[in-house]
Amino acid sequence: MEPDIRIAVDIGGTFTDIEILDAESGAIHQIKTPSTPSDPSVGLLTGIRQASERFGFPMEAVQYLLHGTTIATNAVLERKLPLGAVITTAGFEDVMQIGRHGRTDVYAITLAQPAPLVARRLCFGVTERVNAAGEVTVPLDEAGVRRVAAQIAEAGAKSVAVCLLHAYANPAHERRIGEILSEALPGVAVTLASDISPEIREYERMSTTALNAMLVPIVQRYTDRLAGCLKEELPEAQVYLVQSNGGVAGLAKAGREPARLLLSGPSGGAAAAKRLSATLDEPNLVAVDMGGTSFDVSVVHDGEVAMVNEGEVDGLPVRLPMIEMRTIGAGGGSIAWVDEGGRLRIGPHSAGADPGPACYGKGGTQFTVTDANLLLGRLDGTSFMGGAMPLDPEAARQAAEPIAARLGLTIDQVAAGVIDVANSALATATRLSLFEKGMDPEDFALLSFGGAGGVHACEVAEELGIRRVVFPAHASTLSAWGILWSDIAHDLSATQIGLLSDVAPALSRTAERLVADARALLLEDGVPEAAQRFEWALDLRYAGQAFDLRVPLAGADFSAPGVETATAAFHALHRQRFSYDEPSVPVETVALRLKAVGALAKPTAVSTEAALAAPSGRSRPVHGRHGPLATPVRDRDSIGTTEPVTGPVVVEEPYTSIYLPAGWSILAHASGALVADRLASH
């Protein structure tokens, strides 16, 4: 049998996580290596080479490489984007500058809007008009388009977003502008709104289109470089990039539509949470991924992960389907600082991978969450990263001294304060992710993963009132593990506004068109019909509402019973989200959505059950709620399935650690996860 190795990679801001599945034996391995921010592909290939040597497989045996990346997200957050231009309908050149005037902070005296992606001088109007029904009322002035193209060339723009009014209803004018620009501006990236986001709401559509256009040169450069490297290193591998919707796409599509990669890495963690929900028989999980740079929260409710039609990156709307997720700048590398009022603060700035926290010994001088955990004894400096990267407690102590002097505290008090502030921020983000959906934290178990999460999870759960915490196997690289099981996924949508009962026949016709388009895309990917799956949803609202809810459908059934079922589902979802519904008010449809899934072959993983190891007998002082206490240190494989271990205890494995406070017990689950429960008396 030919060897079949599948590799999933999640490149984070601090570490690159790699999961390796040997399809022949079913064995799964993990490896972690420092990220290389200047060229993420270097860290990726370094990790794969290390895995090849450690686990004994030839590089040419790699058949699939599934890759989550933050390259698009980082380019937006750092605003390291090429010069872009916008072409829109004459009279709407100011849309990017006007934006939306919603107040995210109702108590702020002044409202700080994000800087527009495209300067006003590079927003051009062309004469044309299509109405909301898709009828051309003013023909396209092609000569005017050519004049604008000349101005764009003179300005030196590297990308152009074409976003005309009502192009979702009739894209003919956008398509023609695209043809003219491809002739007049060779080498300039052009994105049409009708291709990337064919939906209502002109600001959100324009923001998404501009983001995509400006990301094309960056992501295509990366994918071209990656493809070149992999052709030599992994000659047999099919390469896919992870999208924000939890599915994967080939390099060509990822290069054309890079805005779909903005939640590339974190979506793997949500996919893993959904898979584990079934394995653990825990239908309600709040999944928290704490890495070196950020803290990501996603929710599994009744075994499903919620999708949203629009997300936000650095205050900029992205109207594309994505897994619903909340991200804050609170990871192990988040920097502690004191504000003007003398308050201890954490993040959002991170020490990253280079130089990293002070204790990494790479020249970092600022005190971070990881430094605090090391000083409190929750991390062992000698066994960090499996012993490959020992930590320096003295460097951490020196980094804490300026903060201690400013606040008049001891070093240990500063470290404990950093952990308290960090835990409070993590709990707040988790609580908001549930409350905004009308859900109670006490109805959920906490799924903790990411390299930094295990030492915080139980204390965060206590603050939330959650009584069960799950620490999955491969916790430190779980996002990569989730990516390992991904499928190809394409999102298609069509705006359809009207009362649901009135537009049902039109929805049926639209569904047929979307299926035809979806099958063509999956055919390009080489997905056989038997491996194709279609998931439907409707965006619905009460007549007169300005917002809508995404309602999943069992199928594209728009008969009278199908409409009745969709309407009932909308009422129920509205009631859950907003605590009321109005069955007497007509329900209006906004858009029909199709997620076309091409299932990739998935070999069966074999969980190798390790023999129960004897307790190590080690202990060290660990700072808990009441100061330092001699605390047992256990290896992960010494936790059994029948005899619970009670806290306080530190549980260590090569790439992460768990701190179990007093009042908690922990057991191993058949899946390989460790499950901690809060004792009844606490």
Side-chain angles (χ1 to χ4, degrees):
M1 180 183 291
E2 289 291 321
D4 181 358
I5 301 294
R6 295 163 186 242
I7 294 180
V9 182
D10 175 27
I11 300 180
T14 307
F15 289 104
T16 294
D17 300 340
I18 302 175
E19 289 272 330
I20 304 101
L21 169 62
D22 184 336
E24 189 175 347
S25 67
I28 297 182
H29 309 287
Q30 61 177 320
I31 197 166
K32 204 174 181 81
T33 187
S35 294
T36 50
S38 59
D39 184 354
S41 63
V42 172
L44 180 151
L45 286 168
T46 299
I48 294 176
R49 290 191 202 104
Q50 291 175 355
S52 172
E53 294 171 7
R54 183 179 303 181
F55 305 117
F57 62 85
M59 298 287 272
E60 58 269 18
V62 178
Q63 302 297 311
Y64 287 96
L65 176 64
L66 311 175
H67 171 17
T69 176
T70 57
I71 189 167
T73 313
N74 292 344
V76 177
L77 294 177
E78 298 169 14
R79 294 298 176 99
K80 293 180 178 178
L81 296 164
L83 189 65
V86 167
I87 295 178
T88 187
T89 305
F92 289 83
E93 298 90 339
D94 296 303
V95 166
M96 290 286 282
Q97 280 63 41
I98 295 172
R100 296 285 181 205
H101 285 251
R103 297 187 67 85
T104 53
D105 184 351
V106 295
Y107 298 107
I109 296 173
T110 58
L111 182 64
Q113 291 283 77
L117 274 174
V118 179
R120 175 61 182 83
R121 66 184 179 85
L122 291 173
C123 294
F124 301 95
V126 295
T127 301
E128 69 84 40
R129 195 60 178 264
V130 172
N131 66 19
E135 300 161 344
V136 176
T137 59
V138 178
L140 176 65
D141 177 7
E142 295 190 7
V145 175
R146 290 188 174 88
R147 286 193 297 272
V148 166
Q151 292 176 273
I152 291 172
E154 186 179 348
K158 303 300 182 186
S159 61
V160 182
V162 183
C163 188
L164 305 181
L165 205 64
H166 302 308
Y168 58 83
N170 181 351
H173 286 176
E174 281 196 353
R175 299 267 163 84
R176 181 58 188 143
I177 291 175
E179 292 170 358
I180 295 171
L181 294 180
S182 66
E183 296 169 5
L185 301 173
V188 173
V190 177
T191 297
L192 308 183
S194 50
D195 288 340
I196 189 70
S197 184
E199 302 184 21
I200 62 169
R201 299 188 175 93
E202 65 275 11
Y203 169 60
E204 289 77 8
R205 184 169 73 252
M206 190 178 290
S207 170
T208 305
T209 308
L211 264 176
N212 192 83
M214 297 167 82
L215 285 169
V216 165
I218 294 169
V219 173
Q220 280 191 347
R221 239 185 348 259
Y222 176 70
T223 55
D224 290 347
R225 188 169 63 245
L226 183 65
C229 295
L230 295 179
K231 191 172 183 180
E232 297 178 7
E233 301 269 357
L234 306 173
E236 301 298 321
Q238 296 182 52
V239 184
Y240 296 97
L241 292 187
V242 182
Q243 303 175 103
S244 305
N245 62 6
V248 298
L251 292 183
K253 186 190 177 190
R256 289 194 310 269
E257 300 182 357
R260 296 188 187 276
L261 306 179
L262 287 165
L263 287 183
S264 177
S267 68
K274 178 180 177 180
R275 190 176 180 88
L276 286 170
S277 171
T279 303
L280 297 164
D281 195 23
E282 292 280 357
N284 294 340
L285 284 175
V286 55
V288 295
D289 177 5
M290 185 176 182
T293 306
S294 63
F295 180 77
D296 304 314
V297 185
S298 55
V299 176
V300 181
H301 182 242
D302 289 338
E304 295 294 332
V305 176
M307 299 288 295
V308 292
N309 302 329
E310 183 181 310
E312 187 179 275
V313 178
D314 196 28
L316 301 168
V318 183
R319 193 156 180 81
L320 291 171
M322 56 184 65
I323 288 174
E324 189 169 16
M325 191 168 295
R326 182 182 299 277
T327 299
I328 62 171
S334 293
I335 294 168
W337 53 287
V338 180
D339 67 13
E340 294 177 357
R343 295 182 303 169
L344 183 63
R345 306 283 294 275
I346 305 297
H349 303 294
S350 171
D354 189 11
C359 62
Y360 281 12
K362 294 182 179 180
T365 58
Q366 293 176 296
F367 194 60
T368 69
V369 174
T370 294
D371 293 311
N373 277 311
L374 177 65
L375 294 182
L376 296 179
R378 300 180 180 201
L379 295 177
D380 181 3
T382 61
S383 64
F384 189 74
M385 289 285 288
M389 191 175 165
L391 302 180
D392 182 354
E394 186 54 37
R397 192 170 294 279
Q398 290 176 10
E401 285 174 355
I403 297 176
R406 171 88 184 270
L407 297 177
L409 301 174
T410 67
I411 299 291
D412 286 348
Q413 286 173 328
V414 168
V418 164
I419 299 304
D420 286 344
V421 173
N423 287 344
S424 179
L426 305 183
T428 298
T430 308
R431 186 181 292 113
L432 285 173
S433 295
L434 293 169
F435 281 3
E436 68 187 9
K437 300 176 185 64
M439 299 173 184
D440 188 338
E442 294 187 15
D443 297 331
F444 285 76
L446 188 77
L447 178 69
S448 170
F449 57 100
V455 291
H456 295 266
C458 289
E459 291 173 334
V460 171
E462 287 181 5
E463 193 163 332
L464 292 166
I466 291 175
R467 305 195 67 85
R468 170 164 289 186
V469 179
V470 178
F471 302 95
H474 297 213
S476 180
T477 56
L478 194 74
S479 287
W481 183 87
I483 291 169
L484 198 60
W485 310 103
S486 296
D487 291 315
I488 294 169
H490 299 289
D491 284 300
L492 298 91
S493 63
T495 295
Q496 190 82 59
I497 299 176
L499 295 181
L500 179 55
S501 55
D502 293 344
V503 300
L507 286 172
S508 295
R509 293 190 296 273
T510 302
E512 292 175 5
R513 175 174 62 81
L514 291 180
V515 167
D517 293 345
R519 290 199 188 280
L521 288 170
L522 293 173
L523 187 63
E524 282 181 19
D525 296 319
V527 179
E529 194 166 326
Q532 298 177 9
R533 187 175 78 252
F534 301 115
E535 299 174 2
W536 295 93
L538 273 174
D539 295 352
L540 298 175
R541 64 189 181 190
Y542 288 119
Q545 276 185 327
F547 61 89
D548 47 77
L549 293 177
R550 181 189 182 114
V551 179
L553 305 176
D557 176 13
F558 302 110
S559 64
V563 167
E564 190 175 324
T565 300
T567 302
F570 169 72
H571 291 315
L573 183 60
H574 198 282
R575 186 167 58 250
Q576 176 196 305
R577 189 66 61 93
F578 303 111
S579 78
Y580 78 97
D581 62 338
E582 298 195 54
S584 61
V585 177
V587 174
E588 190 174 62
T589 179
V590 176
L592 175 63
R593 299 187 180 277
L594 170 61
K595 183 177 183 179
V597 178
L600 297 177
K602 293 179 180 60
T604 305
V606 176
S607 54
T608 52
E609 197 170 319
L612 186 64
S616 65
R618 305 192 310 275
S619 71
R620 63 173 179 262
V622 176
H623 288 248
R625 299 185 189 90
H626 307 297
L629 181 70
T631 301
V633 178
R634 303 279 294 257
D635 293 325
R636 186 183 180 106
D637 58 7
S638 73
I639 308 294
T641 58
T642 55
E643 296 293 329
V645 174
T646 56
V649 65
V650 173
V651 181
E652 292 185 343
E653 55 184 292
Y655 295 124
T656 189
S657 295
I658 296 168
Y659 172 59
L660 193 78
W664 289 80
S665 67
I666 194 165
L667 272 174
H669 185 271
S671 67
L674 299 182
V675 179
D677 286 294
R678 199 169 176 185
L679 301 177
S681 57
H682 286 73

